[in-house]
Amino acid sequence: MELLAIVAHPDDADIFCGGTLAKHADRGDTVTIAHMTRGEYGGFDTDEATVAETREKETRRSGNELGATDVTFLGFEDGRIEYSLEDRLEIVETIRAHDPDVILTHFRDDMHPDHRATSRLVTDAYYMASLPLVDTEHDPCDPDNVYFFGKPTSSFEPTTFVDISGYEDRKAAAIDHHESQVEFLQEHGGIDAEFDNLIDGVAAEDATLGKRTGVASAEGFVPLHDQACDYLE
């Protein structure tokens, strides 16, 4: 089985679905994390290139922590992702290149404009990826489903839950690899992260979802197509 997480920024995958990705990787599934941007706005340096270089290195370490087969960057600009046909076709090509069974991405209702734009691009590209007359380098493919993750402060109400009990420390370690971003978000708590302490806040949210579903810790998703599952498949 192949999972493709398409996220706006470095650390998004770790925060929202890191436990799920690690659990699938441990099962032997192929896990790819595709980042729309290199997160060049998320830092203290005045030089975007320096921030991006630092964050890319941190992201590759965190991807390794989660067991990702591939960590890639799609070249969009942080804070400047826009919806266009050209960009949608680029995501179609990304999906076709990896031919995933399942796609994970942001929920449509989110404070961050990059998250909103990514959600719309991925959702529409998912439909277009299977159309034979949509011409890209790779052949058409037909993923089974898209699972959306989101922030508890939005209208996001998960209906599919993955038990990540036992993966809490690994998820925290993956987030902690984003050393420059953890420090940045702690200074901007309530704006970017909704948590004064990023790692503790994420763990608390996972524990809350776990209590709702009878496990120690869980991550929640909204599927594009409803179906029952033990894993995202």
Side-chain angles (χ1 to χ4, degrees):
M1 180 181 176
E2 299 203 12
L3 281 77
L4 171 63
I6 304 178
V7 298
H9 312 102
D11 77 22
D12 283 340
D14 311 81
I15 291 170
F16 293 114
C17 58
T20 298
L21 297 179
K23 186 174 183 178
H24 275 274
D26 280 358
R27 193 177 70 165
D29 295 334
T30 299
V31 172
T32 298
I33 308 174
H35 303 82
M36 299 286 285
T37 77
R38 297 168 74 202
E40 58 269 24
Y41 272 177
F44 297 107
D45 289 293
T46 56
D47 181 358
E48 290 183 30
T50 300
V51 174
E53 182 179 358
T54 297
R55 298 201 65 188
E56 181 172 339
K57 290 178 181 177
E58 294 172 343
T59 301
R60 295 193 183 281
R61 288 196 293 269
S62 69
N64 184 64
E65 185 77 48
L66 296 177
T69 306
D70 187 23
V71 172
T72 187
F73 298 85
L74 303 182
F76 290 82
E77 293 183 308
D78 190 10
R80 291 151 284 186
I81 301 175
E82 296 182 350
Y83 186 92
S84 69
L85 176 59
E86 179 182 2
D87 291 347
R88 190 200 316 165
L89 288 173
E90 186 167 343
I91 304 304
V92 168
E93 173 62 11
T94 297
I95 293 171
R96 288 177 170 181
H98 294 282
D99 191 14
D101 298 287
V102 167
I103 300 170
L104 291 77
T105 196
H106 299 273
F107 187 64
R108 62 184 178 273
D109 177 20
D110 193 289
M111 178 180 65
H112 201 303
D114 282 351
H115 294 186
R116 295 195 303 269
T118 297
S119 180
R120 186 181 175 196
L121 285 167
V122 173
T123 302
D124 290 353
Y126 159 77
Y127 284 110
M128 291 185 68
S130 65
L131 302 179
L133 294 182
V134 177
D135 186 23
T136 67
E137 180 180 348
H138 289 82
D139 292 335
C141 67
D142 190 13
D144 295 330
N145 214 343
V146 179
Y147 287 89
F148 302 100
F149 49 72
K151 296 183 179 182
T153 52
S154 74
S155 62
F156 175 72
E157 288 291 340
T159 57
T160 296
F161 301 87
V162 176
D163 179 4
I164 62 164
S165 304
Y167 285 87
E168 297 94 339
D169 289 346
R170 192 155 151 201
K171 177 174 179 173
I175 296 172
D176 202 38
H177 282 300
H178 300 276
E179 183 178 355
S180 65
Q181 185 69 354
V182 170
E183 180 183 359
F184 178 77
L185 288 177
Q186 285 177 346
E187 285 209 10
H188 292 75
I191 299 176
D192 294 281
E194 277 86 44
F195 306 119
D196 290 333
N197 185 300
L198 177 61
I199 293 176
D200 288 349
V202 170
E205 175 62 21
D206 292 346
T208 299
L209 292 179
K211 288 181 180 179
R212 286 178 54 183
T213 52
V215 297
S217 190
E219 291 173 339
F221 303 87
V222 173
L224 186 60
H225 308 297
D226 288 329
Q227 58 187 31
C229 61
D230 291 324
Y231 288 84
L232 296 184
E233 56 189 13

